[in-house]
Amino acid sequence: MVTDNYEHSQIEAKWRDRWEREKVFEVETDPERRKYYVLEMFPYPSGDPHMGHVKNYVIGDVVARFFMRQGFQVLHPMGFDSFGLPAENAAIQHGIHPSVWTHEKISRMREVLKHLGISYDWRREVITCEPEYYRFTQWLFLQLYHNDLAYKREGNVNWCPSCATVLANEQVVDGMCERCGSEVTKKTLNQWYFRITQYAESLLEDMNMLGKWPERVLTMQRNWIGKSEGAQIQFFVPVLNRSITVFTTRPDTIFGATFFLLAPEHPLVDEIIAGTSYEKKVRSFRKRISRKSEIERITEGGEVEGMYIGKEAVNPLTGESIPIWIADYIIYEYGTGAVMAVPAHDERDCRFAKRFNLPIREVIKSHDEEKTEECFAGEGIMINSGQYNGLPSSKGKKSIISFLEQRGLGKSSVSYRLRDWLISRQRYWGAPIPIIYCDSCGEIPVPENDLPVLLPQEVDFSPGGPSPLARSESFTHISCPVCGGRAIRETDTMDTFVCSSWYFLRYCSPWTEDKPFHRADVDYWMPVDQYIGGVEHAILHLMYARFFTKVLYDLDFVGFREPFTNLFAQGMVNKDGAKMSKSRGNTVSPREIVESFGVDTVRVFILFAGPPELDMEWSERGVEGAYRFLNRFWRAIMQIVDLEVHDVFTDEKRLMELERDMHRTIAKVDRDIRERFHFNTAISAIMESLNQLNDYFRVLNEKGSSAEERSFLIRYARSLVSLFNPIAPHISEELWERLGGEELLAQHPWPSFDREKMIEDQVELVIQINGKVRSRISVTRGASEDHVLEASLRDEKVCNWLDGKQIAKKIFVPDKLLNIVVK
RNA sequence: GCGAGAGUGGCGGAACAGGCAGACGCGCUGGAUUUAGGAUCCAGUGGCUUCAAGCCGUGCGGGUUCAAAUCCCGCCUCUCGCACCA
């Protein structure tokens, strides 16, 4: 029973049920209709959603509801990214099985989310830890495997001792584990990788075909991929009787190469020092370096370390012999792991040369004569470079590369900072990697028909030792699918980012059983038109998802190369100036706030606090303010619903003003939502209209209202309620019904406006004297300069300012201002 | 260090293409209503100035312009990202 007061809980429950009963948000593939796909990053089910989630979903819901009312079929799904460590830690600490823990959390979270009344098609829910889903995560792994995009190799990897697993490069932040904050160490392990580096160029290139993405996200991805163009050059090493290739972006500085550097772990180092007195020293040097954590490297002020390893390399241009050193700042995985050191023009080489007293030879002169820095890394004119003297660096680069190319000693080359994606995790709660090792057949992919490789239920979660899967006899020991002989399963599971790299495809086709998705579904719905989430995923998730999409495109499973046309990165919700977190104890529970104020209040507060891309501050007063506004809104509309008609005159002038205001408000709200995502100004426009309305009520209270006024006000109220609907869907649906709306507002067409009706006949025009506002006059729209000048000369204030002055100049902006410049 | 972004009342924030700075809201002040509080309604609310008139005012300093929060140059502060990537 809904009373005449604004009873948020009754109203919200009523419409939530109604939308569900009438399947308002359920959509089907239908190529006849225009589609729009709105997606919010799905959550890890940690329990109750927090305010950051709510903000995310509310933004998405406004967009979804807005487009729905534009006549689009809107796909707006929700699911759970439900593999991951917290579930496993719960098992270790409280003895609850990860599956049980996760499903409990999901139910709880789903309940709260449903309570928010967001326009999800819940039938399409995706849960990544269900075999029905991870079966296809494994299937996708196999596609990558068959196309040489998934491979296993030994490598020096990031290890988080606290999580007892390896981490991808992307998951190490300032030398700390992105998840738990412990210091990351290095370990040499045999691990599975995805060959994302093969897609470095298209990940970079295809950024051009994206729609609206935040510039900073693109920049971050660009930096992460880190493309640099240069050359590979061969330096002959007499002791090996062959060449070592270096990568450099500055072939024009080759005459300044005074020593040669190798990464300490470079395998050629061993060949060079074999049987020499350096063997022992190098071994202990390597040991010392590997103990040095990333943190120490950064905090020690960049003290470089290295040592001479006893042999020489030959500069292919000068024929000069230069000593070979190893240095800790040379990264084996980048470029070729070997560098020609040019201390005069590279800061790091310079530091190294100074520390170990190596010669520094200047070969580039700055264009700017004044500049005589010790280490000049810019472009300039070549000197001390034989026949190349006098050439600018850019030309020199090209000539040197072509000289080397002709002699087969080098070529132009591109390097990327991006590394292959390490996907193995030594943990239980993830999708098992579908690989089998047979004593006689070797490494065998699990046949597609045998998928999913199910996680065993009964495993030992006690901490320490190998991962729970490795300890499970029944899981590990199987017979080879090829020869039937003895075999063991891979016991690593996949990084959860693999699961989230394709979930947006599954939403399109969630009921498909024999494959991850139907092509027709995906072709209809994809790409996601608007993706919304936190900027913290700017690199990791967004790049992995882009990578997966590109692989699927190349393998002809999908017909598009980019998954997300537009991306919106929302700001955080803070409290007391800091990020809300359990450890700080400054969290606000959405569940409780919704209980006392209602969903619509929370939505209005969040959206009104500022533009959504900015961080916002949670404020109790702000919530109350939003609540008060909803009450004010309710009362005003109800006053119109209950308006009695009297036999009185109509205030035509006020009515016209209101009419104009109505069209302006529609135009503003429409634009603010559609083009700018600035819901705060959309709400303030609605508030202004409401204030207009209240002013008018005062007139009506005095004189009573005519039938004409009542019918106009109903129309006005309807458009206001209609505009408010994507922002506060429950209250607006209720008021819509009370105003006589027959169909659901959620399915009612979005209001349109008439530009003609927005125009005023009288405009207020600003009169400036010497650029300062001195007066305002009211003139008819489109008044001429002469007319305005004449009118302003009759204005007392203007006359005072002009008294005894000469008019030197006039600037006239029609319907806006007249600036009179006097001497 | 490199790169990107941002600095506007007591606060969150408006000002779409150089043209009325401070919309809208919060807070605060006064008033009405009320037994009282809350809620509600009305009025006010950038600073200086005794009122009026006026002057100053968008981080700081300069510039362009009839006119600058907005454009240009220099500086300061903050936030974020990258940080031995040859």
Side-chain angles (χ1 to χ4, degrees):
Chain A
M1 201 36 239
V2 175
T3 69
D4 279 353
N5 290 321
Y6 172 47
E7 303 278 357
H8 65 259
S9 40
Q10 288 172 22
I11 291 170
E12 288 173 4
K14 170 179 164 184
W15 294 102
R16 209 158 54 224
D17 292 348
R18 181 92 181 265
W19 294 327
E20 194 181 341
R21 214 167 48 236
E22 300 193 15
K23 306 182 190 313
V24 174
F25 307 120
E26 296 183 6
V27 288
E28 309 298 338
T29 297
D30 179 3
E32 297 297 302
R33 292 188 59 192
R34 290 191 300 176
K35 70 90 187 181
Y36 195 88
Y37 188 174
V38 187
L39 182 64
E40 298 110 49
M41 292 178 184
F42 67 165
Y44 179 80
S46 51
D48 272 14
H50 56 70
M51 276 306 166
H53 289 128
V54 176
K55 179 172 178 180
N56 190 185
Y57 308 149
V58 165
I59 295 168
D61 199 40
V62 177
V63 175
R65 287 175 181 273
F66 180 79
F67 277 96
M68 205 174 145
R69 296 194 47 201
Q70 305 286 326
F72 287 85
Q73 255 224 128
V74 176
L75 174 57
H76 190 206
M78 183 39 68
F80 298 95
D81 187 13
S82 48
F83 269 136
L85 271 183
E88 203 166 335
N89 291 338
I92 295 166
Q93 283 160 27
H94 310 295
I96 310 166
H97 195 277
S99 163
V100 173
W101 187 90
T102 303
H103 282 97
E104 270 173 19
K105 298 286 183 191
I106 289 177
S107 324
R108 190 172 167 86
M109 200 143 177
R110 188 195 290 122
E111 186 201 322
V112 181
L113 291 183
K114 284 199 166 174
H115 207 77
L116 292 175
I118 294 171
S119 59
Y120 296 130
D121 182 352
W122 278 104
R123 301 170 307 152
R124 292 174 181 263
E125 183 187 65
V126 156
I127 298 176
T128 60
C129 69
E130 300 289 5
E132 295 77 49
Y133 183 86
Y134 72 69
R135 161 183 186 183
F136 297 116
T137 307
Q138 292 170 335
W139 182 88
L140 287 160
F141 174 95
L142 292 178
Q143 305 313 308
L144 269 79
Y145 182 84
H146 294 312
N147 289 281
D148 192 33
L149 291 166
Y151 66 96
K152 195 176 196 185
R153 72 163 157 91
E154 182 131 297
N156 202 12
V157 299
N158 303 302
W159 174 263
C160 172
S162 155
C163 299
T165 187
V166 298
L167 300 171
N169 270 331
E170 291 80 359
Q171 289 158 354
V172 181
V173 179
D174 290 334
M176 307 290 192
C177 170
E178 179 235 2
R179 179 137 251 147
C180 71
S182 2
E183 197 171 303
V184 171
T185 58
K186 291 280 179 183
K187 236 181 177 178
T188 303
L189 288 170
N190 205 11
Q191 298 284 302
W192 284 95
Y193 292 82
F194 283 163
R195 220 181 280 284
I196 191 170
T197 50
Q198 194 166 310
Y199 283 82
E201 191 57 39
S202 53
L203 285 167
L204 203 59
E205 194 50 43
D206 291 350
M207 283 186 196
N208 298 325
M209 56 194 265
L210 295 172
K212 230 165 121 185
W213 276 49
E215 199 48 50
R216 62 184 166 143
V217 172
L218 296 177
T219 309
M220 276 190 238
Q221 292 212 1
R222 235 174 253 126
N223 289 343
W224 192 263
I225 295 167
K227 178 178 183 174
S228 56
E229 286 169 276
Q232 289 196 2
I233 302 174
Q234 294 179 25
F235 279 64
F236 187 70
V237 180
V239 67
L240 298 174
N241 194 29
R242 66 184 146 112
S243 296
I244 302 181
T245 306
V246 303
F247 174 75
T248 179
T249 54
R250 295 296 301 271
D252 53 311
T253 63
I254 192 165
F255 285 83
T258 51
F259 49 100
F260 189 96
L261 293 169
L262 285 171
E265 64 270 43
H266 200 296
L268 287 179
V269 172
D270 297 286
E271 286 187 44
I272 292 168
I273 59 174
T276 73
S277 60
Y278 288 96
E279 267 191 308
K280 247 175 135 174
K281 285 193 245 168
V282 167
R283 211 174 304 130
S284 73
F285 177 83
R286 281 176 175 167
K287 229 183 184 168
R288 203 169 72 238
I289 296 297
S290 71
R291 261 209 311 273
K292 236 168 111 174
S293 72
E294 211 135 319
I295 304 296
E296 284 173 278
R297 279 204 191 181
I298 297 163
T299 49
E300 262 173 39
E303 186 69 89
V304 281
E305 290 201 63
M307 64 178 285
Y308 175 56
I309 57 168
K311 294 292 185 295
E312 268 64 40
V314 179
N315 185 325
L317 258 87
T318 60
E320 186 181 11
S321 266
I322 53 176
I324 303 177
W325 287 61
I326 53 178
D328 64 347
Y329 69 87
I330 305 302
I331 298 159
Y332 178 55
E333 289 85 8
Y334 183 77
T336 59
V339 164
M340 63 174 205
V342 184
H345 305 291
D346 180 282
E347 214 178 303
R348 294 148 306 172
D349 296 344
C350 179
R351 251 181 9 226
F352 194 82
K354 280 203 208 142
R355 167 116 205 254
F356 297 104
N357 255 324
L358 292 156
I360 300 176
R361 188 192 307 143
E362 207 186 341
V363 292
I364 304 286
K365 212 166 144 66
S366 167
H367 292 292
D368 183 356
E369 295 292 330
E370 304 291 302
K371 269 198 180 156
T372 45
E373 304 161 47
E374 202 159 23
C375 157
F376 172 66
E379 306 250 306
I381 302 291
M382 295 173 72
I383 53 170
N384 297 326
S385 299
Q387 62 194 100
Y388 299 97
N389 282 342
L391 273 186
S393 344
S394 54
K395 286 230 179 79
K397 272 179 200 171
K398 286 184 196 135
S399 330
I400 287 177
I401 291 172
S402 68
F403 174 88
L404 290 165
E405 261 167 4
Q406 278 159 28
R407 284 162 183 73
L409 294 169
K411 57 175 186 201
S412 55
S413 158
V414 175
S415 273
Y416 300 92
R417 207 188 73 112
L418 184 72
R419 306 288 145 77
D420 276 342
W421 174 15
L422 197 172
I423 58 135
S424 329
R425 296 293 178 271
Q426 290 68 52
R427 301 301 303 232
Y428 167 77
W429 196 232
I433 294 174
I435 292 287
I436 291 165
Y437 305 100
C438 169
D439 289 349
S440 42
C441 312
E443 185 182 289
I444 307 285
V446 172
E448 282 181 25
N449 292 335
D450 293 352
L451 294 181
V453 176
L454 284 171
L455 278 172
Q457 280 290 306
E458 298 301 320
V459 294
D460 176 10
F461 289 109
S462 53
S467 85
L469 277 188
R471 277 181 271 170
S472 166
E473 293 279 316
S474 61
F475 177 80
T476 318
H477 295 282
I478 57 155
S479 53
C480 170
V482 178
C483 71
R486 269 191 356 170
I488 53 164
R489 279 192 195 283
E490 169 64 62
T491 58
D492 281 354
T493 51
M494 283 185 250
D495 181 2
T496 57
F497 279 105
V498 178
C499 307
S500 56
S501 291
W502 72 280
Y503 76 109
F504 42 89
L505 300 170
R506 185 66 184 171
Y507 280 140
C508 302
S509 202
W511 304 286
T512 315
E513 283 175 11
D514 53 335
K515 44 190 168 185
F517 47 80
H518 280 301
R519 174 99 194 221
D521 289 327
V522 158
D523 279 353
Y524 174 63
W525 291 110
M526 287 293 293
V528 172
D529 295 279
Q530 185 64 60
Y531 198 27
I532 306 163
V535 77
E536 66 271 18
H537 292 108
I539 300 174
L540 291 141
H541 163 61
L542 289 170
M543 205 159 66
Y544 294 149
R546 293 182 62 217
F547 162 63
F548 254 62
T549 304
K550 290 178 190 311
V551 170
L552 290 172
Y553 174 83
D554 285 351
L555 302 181
D556 200 29
F557 287 115
V558 301
F560 46 89
R561 298 221 287 267
E562 285 290 339
F564 315 123
T565 307
N566 300 298
L567 174 73
F568 186 84
Q570 104 242 7
M572 289 189 304
V573 182
N574 294 333
K575 188 160 182 267
D576 311 320
K579 188 183 171 170
M580 276 193 195
S581 73
K582 280 189 197 128
S583 57
R584 277 196 196 81
N586 63 349
T587 53
V588 175
S589 147
R591 187 190 273 263
E592 287 166 25
I593 293 283
V594 163
E595 214 156 283
S596 30
F597 294 99
V599 175
D600 284 341
T601 295
V602 174
R603 293 172 68 114
V604 168
F605 166 65
I606 287 176
L607 297 170
F608 186 60
E613 65 271 24
L614 259 46
D615 287 354
M616 62 173 280
E617 177 73 16
W618 182 266
S619 120
E620 189 68 29
R621 290 203 195 278
V623 178
E624 285 163 12
Y627 187 62
R628 277 206 299 271
F629 171 64
L630 289 185
N631 276 286
R632 220 155 49 225
F633 191 83
W634 175 270
R635 282 195 304 271
I637 304 299
M638 286 306 287
Q639 193 169 339
I640 293 173
V641 170
D642 297 336
L643 208 62
E644 281 173 33
V645 174
H646 304 271
D647 187 17
V648 292
F649 70 95
T650 299
D651 189 337
E652 298 285 354
K653 193 167 164 258
R654 293 298 281 262
L655 232 46
M656 262 178 62
E657 278 169 19
L658 276 177
E659 168 93 23
R660 192 166 54 232
D661 174 70
M662 186 176 88
H663 288 278
R664 283 186 178 172
T665 305
I666 297 171
K668 169 129 183 85
V669 172
D670 186 280
R671 207 177 88 90
D672 285 349
I673 296 181
R674 189 194 303 273
E675 289 171 29
R676 309 200 306 162
F677 276 35
H678 279 197
F679 313 114
N680 56 331
T681 50
I683 294 171
S684 84
I686 293 172
M687 287 173 166
E688 278 178 276
S689 284
L690 199 70
N691 293 344
Q692 293 277 332
L693 202 55
N694 281 326
D695 287 346
Y696 191 51
F697 282 147
R698 237 166 290 152
V699 175
L700 296 186
N701 284 341
E702 281 192 12
K703 76 167 184 72
S705 46
S706 69
E708 193 188 347
E709 281 168 328
R710 181 172 196 273
S711 77
F712 170 78
L713 284 177
I714 299 248
R715 195 154 61 84
Y716 186 91
R718 279 180 173 228
S719 86
L720 216 50
V721 162
S722 179
L723 289 176
F724 202 30
N725 169 69
I727 292 161
H730 305 85
I731 189 175
S732 54
E733 197 79 75
E734 176 68 28
L735 289 169
W736 178 255
E737 188 184 54
R738 288 175 183 241
L739 284 163
E742 279 167 13
E743 78 180 312
L744 284 167
L745 186 49
Q747 291 172 316
H748 191 77
W750 183 248
S752 55
F753 57 90
D754 184 344
R755 228 168 255 292
E756 285 293 309
K757 296 206 168 125
M758 288 162 58
I759 299 166
E760 239 169 325
D761 329 328
Q762 288 290 112
V763 290
E764 192 177 68
L765 207 129
V766 169
I767 308 298
Q768 295 184 335
I769 313 289
N770 287 346
K772 296 205 167 175
V773 181
R774 294 305 181 189
S775 187
R776 292 146 217 269
I777 57 171
S778 179
V779 295
T780 44
R781 233 180 67 79
S784 69
E785 177 172 351
D786 290 341
H787 180 84
V788 171
L789 181 65
E790 206 178 298
S792 61
L793 289 177
R794 283 198 302 269
D795 186 273
E796 198 188 334
K797 285 186 227 159
V798 175
C799 289
N800 286 339
W801 282 98
L802 291 182
D803 191 33
K805 305 266 172 57
Q806 280 276 319
I807 296 181
K809 198 173 174 184
K810 296 172 303 234
I811 292 96
F812 180 66
V813 183
D815 297 332
K816 283 225 164 129
L817 67 76
L818 175 70
N819 186 8
I820 304 169
V821 184
V822 295
K823 273 191 289 215

